[in-house]
């Protein structure tokens, strides 16, 4: 959730670190800091709030030097403050360390260190790590780090240096990503490729329990048992401009408008149109096993969970699998049947979500076939699953997921199509789906044309403090996702509900100040949705409906209609998603919210 950037090479480090931090700010943004060394002196600058505030402070401090480490923090232990910001230093300010993750046994360790005379300046678990390293340090920083990492429990990605050897950065990882950037005559490291990509597209992902040492002229990777690791560099396939706003006011808006492309990228080369089936290269090695499964579990969090919820309906419709969807954070508490007849699919944009990773590890232990649907290439979930599929949606920077959510829904449909065609789905039905998929991106482009109309509605509706979102069948998960988008970025209380549940409780909330957003496609649920809407109107509740263009009846029942093109039932929810994203976006903008960096949230949730 926090971000790390490091640089060692011939150039001034501070501007590179600050620019890298800005690119990581979407991961956490309550405080930030950097330490830069010039061979003799080390300059430490830390500040509460966004990176721009750190930048101002750094301008005054003027850190000089060609090596440094930097961090942007999302508070876990201790409130956002200068003292708690990273880099953390030890007793004698010789070691400078940045840390992502959580040291679980830090309280016990802290007490022991205090007894030995250590005094602490912060409330962080990270500072304990620095003091411990100091204790073990006998002139070799990497050796001290290895010893300490045998003592601490928890997750970490760390980067540190010692004042006495300012030509060397040590990095280590367990459970929190770290990537080396191999430049021309310089080296970088970061917790996210975004921070490196302007300088190099040659990267190496550190694995768990590995340590790297960056020098001015080379680097070395080893495991915690001192065995040397030799690993090829990987080439990042997207350029720095993919992570720029390209003239949009916010990353979220840009990413909403990128959705037709994201869908095309998800489909590219994956549809065998004549056979009404899909081809997913990443699953080919396990296809025979997958076809013979009885059950599939989707595990994920947040929007990725809603993508799984939608996929449950689609898989049940077109495959023979029995399907379970579970929040990754709850998965481990259930006593599920996870055996060789069970596939578990982790759905994750970042591929680093701690709960999802933990769920996969649990499923593996029990013998299930573990698969991943991940956007970030080389991420931990991608590496720890036996097989999987990438979204190829490009980097998603806005904290609220938009294009990757839609892409997940598309890829999950492709997976269902692939399995379904070996099971109950006929050629005709397969062709019906592939043809509809081909038309999807064009239909999404048409929905985006109605952005001005949605903006106008959102402006009028931005004053309400509570919202209900309802839908049925395929559009129930979309109602949940729409409500999540609104609450994440506008801080408005919004509840997503299966419309049929309305009368079992939430209808009591409805009054003229409590509007409802209803997703009302022309499918088998239409009449029941109209009944729900009438029940809301009878209580003077306002209703904004997302409905298909051909629906001439809906306007007579609701206050506002957002018309969308019609698709087949299983794809209609994808089209319906866009108006809900735009509505949330424009409401949040009207309320002056920080859309790309909503309060308390981080893009990638790497702690459980
Ligand atoms: O990276 P992941 O897909 O695993 O992340 C899961 C959730 O943290 C994520 O979807 C979150 O809910 C987003 N902020 C939703 O907009």
């Amino acid at each position: 959730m926090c971000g790390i950037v490091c640089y060692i090479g011939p150039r001034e480090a501070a501007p590179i670190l600050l620019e890298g931090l800005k690119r990581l700010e979407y991961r956490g943004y309550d405080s930030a800091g950097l330490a830069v060394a010039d061979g003799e002196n080390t300059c430490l600058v830390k500040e509460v709030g966004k990176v721009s505030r750190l930048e101002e402070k750094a301008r005054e401090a003027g850190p000089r030097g060609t090596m440094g480490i930097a961090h942007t923090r999302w508070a876990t232990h201790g409130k956002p403050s200068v003292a708690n910001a990273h880099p953390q230093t030890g007793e004698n300010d010789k070691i400078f360390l940045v840390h992502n993750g959580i040291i679980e046994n830090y309280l016990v360790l802290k007490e022991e260190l205090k007894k030995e005379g250590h005094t602490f300046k912060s409330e962080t678990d990270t500072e304990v790590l620095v003091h411990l390293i100091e204790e073990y340090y006998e002139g070799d920083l990497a050796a001290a780090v290895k010893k300490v990492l045998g003592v601490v429990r928890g997750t970490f990605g760390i980067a540190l240096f010692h004042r006495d050897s300012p030509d060397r950065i040590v990095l280590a990882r367990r459970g929190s990503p770290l990537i080396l950037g191999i430049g021309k005559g310089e080296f970088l490291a970061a917790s996210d490729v975004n921070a490196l990509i302007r300088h190099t597209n040659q990267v190496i992902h550190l694995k768990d329990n590995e340590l790297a040492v960056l020098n001015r002229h080379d680097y070395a990777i080893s495991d915690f048992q001192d065995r040397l690791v030799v690993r090829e560099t990987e080439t990042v396939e997207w350029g720095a401009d993919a992570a720029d706003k390209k003239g949009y006011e916010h990353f979220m808006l840009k990413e909403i408008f990128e959705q037709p492309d994201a869908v095309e990228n998800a489909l590219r080369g994956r549809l065998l149109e004549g056979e009404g089936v899909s081809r997913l290269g990443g699953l080919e090695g396990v296809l025979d096993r997958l076809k013979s499964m009885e059950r599939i579990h989707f595990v994920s969090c947040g929007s990725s969970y809603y993508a799984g919820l939608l996929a449950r309906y689609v898989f049940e419709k077109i495959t023979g699998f029995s399907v379970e969807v579970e929040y990754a954070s709850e998965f481990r508490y259930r006593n599920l049947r996870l055996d060789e007849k069970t596939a578990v699919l982790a759905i994750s944009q970042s591929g680093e979500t701690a709960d999802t990773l933990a769920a996969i590890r649990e499923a593996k232990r029990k013998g299930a076939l573990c698969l991943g649907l991940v956007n970030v290439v080389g991420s931990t979930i991608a590496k720890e699953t036996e097989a999987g599929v990438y979204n190829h949606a490009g980097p998603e920077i806005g904290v609220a997921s938009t294009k990757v959510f839609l892409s997940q829904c598309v890829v999950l449909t492709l997976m269902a199509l692939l399995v379904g065609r070996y099971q109950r789905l006929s050629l005709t039905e397969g062709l019906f789906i592939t043809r509809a998929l081909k038309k999807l991106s064009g239909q999404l482009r048409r929905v985006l044309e109605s952005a001005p109309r949605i903006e106008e509605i959102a402006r009028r509706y931005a004053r309400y403090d509570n919202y209900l979102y309802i839908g049925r069948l395929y559009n129930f998960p979309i109602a949940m996702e729409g409500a999540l988008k609104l609450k994440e970025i506008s801080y408005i209380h919004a509840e997503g509900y299966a419309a049929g549940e309305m009368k079992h409780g939430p209808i009591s909330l409805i009054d003229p100040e409590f509007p409802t957003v209803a997703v009302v496609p022309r499918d088998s649920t239409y009449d029941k949705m109209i009944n729900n809407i009438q029940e809301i109107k009878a209580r003077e509740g306002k209703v904004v409906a997302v409905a298909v263009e051909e629906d001439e009846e809906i306007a007579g029942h609701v206050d506002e209609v957002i018309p969308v093109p019609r698709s087949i039932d299983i794809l209609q929810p994808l089209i319906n998603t866009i108006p809900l994203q735009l509505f949330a976006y424009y409401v949040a903008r009207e309320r002056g919210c920080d859309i790309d960096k909503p309060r308390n949230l981080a893009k990638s949730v790497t702690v459980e």
Side-chain angles (χ1 to χ4, degrees):
M1 306 179 78
C2 310
I4 291 177
V5 197
C6 309
Y7 175 81
I8 182 162
R11 295 189 279 164
E12 277 299 319
I16 295 170
L17 297 176
L18 285 163
E19 196 271 336
L21 284 187
K22 281 195 188 147
R23 289 183 177 267
L24 293 192
E25 224 182 350
Y26 68 112
R27 296 181 70 102
Y29 29 83
D30 57 40
S31 53
L34 55 79
V36 172
D38 72 355
E40 284 179 12
N41 300 307
T42 301
C43 180
L44 176 67
V45 191
K46 305 200 282 187
E47 183 57 299
V48 176
K50 299 204 170 135
V51 175
S52 53
R53 293 190 54 185
L54 177 72
E55 203 171 19
E56 274 169 39
K57 209 166 171 181
R59 212 170 289 132
E60 287 160 27
R64 299 297 305 246
T66 53
M67 185 201 85
I69 59 176
H71 189 260
T72 177
R73 178 168 185 254
W74 188 90
T76 56
H77 295 67
K79 61 181 185 303
S81 69
V82 170
N84 289 337
H86 302 197
Q88 287 287 314
T89 56
E91 197 69 42
N92 52 18
D93 287 350
K94 286 218 157 191
I95 295 174
F96 296 78
L97 181 144
V98 293
H99 165 220
N100 288 357
I102 288 182
I103 303 302
E104 285 163 9
N105 55 342
Y106 85 105
L107 279 175
V108 179
L109 298 169
K110 191 170 184 175
E111 284 315 308
E112 284 168 10
L113 286 161
K114 275 185 182 166
K115 280 185 206 143
E116 284 164 30
H118 286 255
T119 51
F120 289 85
K121 297 175 285 230
S122 81
E123 304 157 280
T124 62
D125 50 341
T126 306
E127 193 186 357
V128 173
L129 208 49
V130 194
H131 283 251
L132 270 178
I133 294 170
E134 231 170 37
E135 274 290 300
Y136 284 89
Y137 181 71
E138 290 171 343
D140 182 345
L141 191 57
V145 168
K146 280 182 192 164
K147 281 186 194 148
V148 167
L149 297 185
V151 175
V152 296
R153 277 203 324 269
T155 54
F156 47 80
I158 56 172
L160 65 159
F161 68 88
H162 197 290
R163 221 185 250 275
D164 294 345
S165 46
D167 278 339
R168 174 172 297 205
I169 298 174
V170 176
L171 301 128
R173 132 167 208 171
R174 183 186 295 152
S176 193
L178 274 179
I179 301 146
L180 309 186
I182 313 300
K184 292 201 173 84
E186 60 185 9
F187 300 100
L188 296 104
S191 49
D192 186 322
V193 171
N194 275 329
L196 311 173
I197 191 70
R198 274 171 70 93
H199 307 287
T200 177
N201 65 354
Q202 296 302 302
V203 300
I204 296 178
H205 292 261
L206 280 193
K207 291 188 179 164
D208 274 352
N209 301 318
E210 284 182 352
L211 180 140
V213 180
L214 305 182
N215 291 311
R216 291 213 171 266
H217 305 292
D218 61 11
Y219 66 93
I221 305 174
S222 59
D223 65 16
F224 290 179
Q225 283 73 46
D226 279 332
R227 286 178 295 235
L228 202 65
V229 172
V230 179
R231 184 162 308 137
E232 294 283 305
T233 57
E234 293 170 39
T235 304
V236 181
E237 276 162 15
W238 47 272
D241 62 331
D244 286 335
K245 278 195 213 153
K246 290 187 185 151
Y248 284 92
E249 198 175 338
H250 295 98
F251 279 111
M252 182 178 175
L253 190 63
K254 177 193 143 209
E255 286 156 6
I256 289 173
F257 275 83
E258 281 174 347
Q259 290 181 110
D261 295 338
V263 167
E264 279 166 16
N265 290 340
L267 292 176
R268 184 158 297 120
R270 290 173 168 172
L271 277 183
L272 297 180
E273 281 170 71
E275 294 166 51
V277 71
S278 61
R279 174 179 50 202
L280 295 167
L283 294 183
E284 260 158 33
V286 295
L287 192 53
D288 286 336
R289 278 165 74 197
L290 187 59
K291 283 180 328 204
S292 66
M293 293 287 156
E294 288 170 4
R295 291 168 292 282
I296 187 159
H297 292 262
F298 301 130
V299 287
S300 41
C301 306
S303 292
S304 299
Y305 171 76
Y306 297 136
L309 216 52
L310 170 59
R312 178 176 68 188
Y313 289 101
V314 178
F315 269 70
E316 282 172 354
K317 174 99 180 151
I318 67 181
T319 77
F321 286 166
S322 86
V323 187
E324 284 252 9
V325 193
E326 188 51 279
Y327 283 118
S329 53
E330 287 297 314
F331 186 78
R332 58 168 57 173
Y333 303 122
R334 296 188 60 191
N335 200 3
L336 291 161
R337 195 161 153 209
L338 300 171
D339 53 21
E340 72 289 348
K341 285 282 170 202
T342 312
V344 175
L345 176 72
I347 308 168
S348 174
Q349 184 285 130
S350 60
E352 302 293 350
T353 302
D355 284 315
T356 311
L357 197 51
I360 277 292
R361 287 175 180 160
E362 180 67 19
K364 249 197 224 173
R365 187 174 300 130
K366 305 249 167 74
L369 169 66
C370 290
L371 308 172
L373 167 54
V374 167
N375 189 42
V376 178
V377 175
S379 56
T380 310
I381 293 176
K383 291 208 165 27
E384 290 205 12
T385 43
E386 206 168 316
V389 184
Y390 282 120
N391 291 97
H392 297 307
E396 186 177 71
I397 310 289
V399 166
S401 183
T402 52
K403 66 173 178 176
V404 176
F405 170 76
L406 211 68
S407 165
Q408 287 168 340
C409 297
V410 170
V411 177
L412 287 162
T413 307
L414 291 177
M415 283 187 185
L417 184 62
L418 175 66
V419 177
R421 283 287 285 121
Y422 287 104
Q423 297 175 339
R424 64 162 75 133
L425 203 67
S426 69
L427 172 63
T428 315
E429 290 165 322
L431 290 174
F432 185 63
I433 297 171
T434 51
R435 283 184 196 134
L437 278 166
K438 287 285 287 178
K439 279 166 61 181
L440 190 59
S441 64
Q443 291 176 309
L444 298 180
R445 281 183 221 283
R446 273 182 44 217
V447 184
L448 288 167
E449 284 165 17
S450 48
R453 158 103 179 113
I454 298 169
E455 181 178 5
E456 186 261 319
I457 298 173
R459 241 192 237 134
R460 283 187 282 115
Y461 277 73
R463 69 178 188 83
Y464 297 104
D465 290 327
N466 296 289
Y467 269 86
L468 184 65
Y469 280 66
I470 55 171
R472 285 173 184 259
L473 186 66
Y474 305 111
N475 291 282
F476 155 51
I478 296 312
M480 305 280 282
E481 168 63 6
L484 179 68
K485 287 291 89 88
L486 189 70
K487 64 188 135 193
E488 279 189 296
I489 59 167
S490 71
Y491 320 137
I492 291 173
H493 166 230
E495 304 215 27
Y497 256 93
E501 274 294 294
M502 223 183 67
K503 285 198 280 293
H504 301 284
I507 197 164
S508 67
L509 298 168
I510 298 298
D511 69 17
E513 292 301 302
F514 200 125
T516 299
V517 176
V519 189
V520 203
R522 271 285 186 185
D523 64 13
S524 57
T525 67
Y526 186 76
D527 292 342
K528 289 212 165 63
M529 283 301 296
I530 295 294
N531 290 345
N532 290 130
I533 288 169
Q534 277 168 347
E535 286 154 6
I536 294 167
K537 293 308 300 170
R539 285 152 187 89
E540 296 183 53
K542 296 211 157 28
V543 179
V544 177
V546 176
V548 295
E549 289 158 342
E550 298 88 331
D551 187 350
E552 288 170 3
E553 186 189 331
I554 189 78
H557 297 289
V558 301
D559 299 275
E560 312 285 347
V561 184
I562 304 172
V564 292
R566 186 167 188 174
S567 183
I568 60 173
D569 290 356
I570 61 169
L571 297 181
Q572 190 65 46
L574 280 63
I575 296 178
N576 296 343
T577 296
I578 292 191
L580 305 189
Q581 296 168 341
L582 284 169
F583 183 75
Y585 172 82
Y586 288 122
V587 166
R589 203 183 63 176
E590 186 66 17
R591 289 169 78 109
C593 299
D594 192 348
I595 291 176
D596 285 332
K597 302 186 200 81
R599 70 181 181 208
N600 304 338
L601 294 177
K603 182 69 181 163
S604 170
V605 183
T606 51
V607 292
E608 289 180 42

